[in-house]
């Protein structure tokens, strides 16, 4: 709807199922956005708006360079995806309300200020804008990286209680 451009912002999409990439690319290009495929091995152009990772096994590399991550499977009744990897690599995480698969972990990360929930497009957009326009965000991001070991230790101790 509101297509106000923010400079130096590239959305990175990492589909869970790489076989869907062609359809995802077509849908994005039909929205008049400039797309770059990771597998092309070409240098990314300065006008690229969406970067699609169409390979497996490289997710952590992209978590390391991202400030904000939307974890899928949480807007639909799928139960959400595991937030530990992006959290330990310093990402703020936004997600939908359906995170039953990892509800305890999300509760803890939410208390630490790492995750934010949204349930509609407008709310998600507001959260992202707040994150990317906030001057102290990068300092917060560095602080989040320091939480990494704490998050993993906390999680492993929680797992040990269950086992």
């Amino acid at each position: 709807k509101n297509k106000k451009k923010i400079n130096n912002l590239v959305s990175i999409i990492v589909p869970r199922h790489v076989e869907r990439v062609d359809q995802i690319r077509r849908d994005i290009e039909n929205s008049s956005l400039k797309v770059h495929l990771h597998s092309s091995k070409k240098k990314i152009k300065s006008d690229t708006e969406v970067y699609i990772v169409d390979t497996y096994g490289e997710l952590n590399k992209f978590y390391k360079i991202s400030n904000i991550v939307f974890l899928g499977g949480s807007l639909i009744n799928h139960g959400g995806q595991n937030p530990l990897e992006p959290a330990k690599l310093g990402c703020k995480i936004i997600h939908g309300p359906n995170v039953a698969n990892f509800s305890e972990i999300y509760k803890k990360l939410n208390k630490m200020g790492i995750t934010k929930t949204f349930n509609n497009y407008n709310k998600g957009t507001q959260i992202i804008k707040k994150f990317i326009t906030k001057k102290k965000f990068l300092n917060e991001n560095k602080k989040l990286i320091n939480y990494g070991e704490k998050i993993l230790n906390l999680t492993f101790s929680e797992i040990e209680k269950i086992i």
Side-chain angles (χ1 to χ4, degrees), residues 119-132:
N119 56 11
N120 66 53
Y121 174 83
N122 289 334
K123 181 69 173 168
T125 302
Q126 287 172 0
I127 292 169
I128 292 169
K129 281 182 182 175
K130 182 178 178 183
F131 282 158
I132 62 178

Side-chain angles (χ1 to χ4, degrees), residues 5-11 46-49 65 67 132:
K5 187 167 177 152
I6 299 171
N7 291 332
N8 297 324
L9 177 69
V10 175
S11 296
S46 62
D47 64 346
T48 297
E49 296 167 295
I65 64 168
N67 295 327
I132 62 178

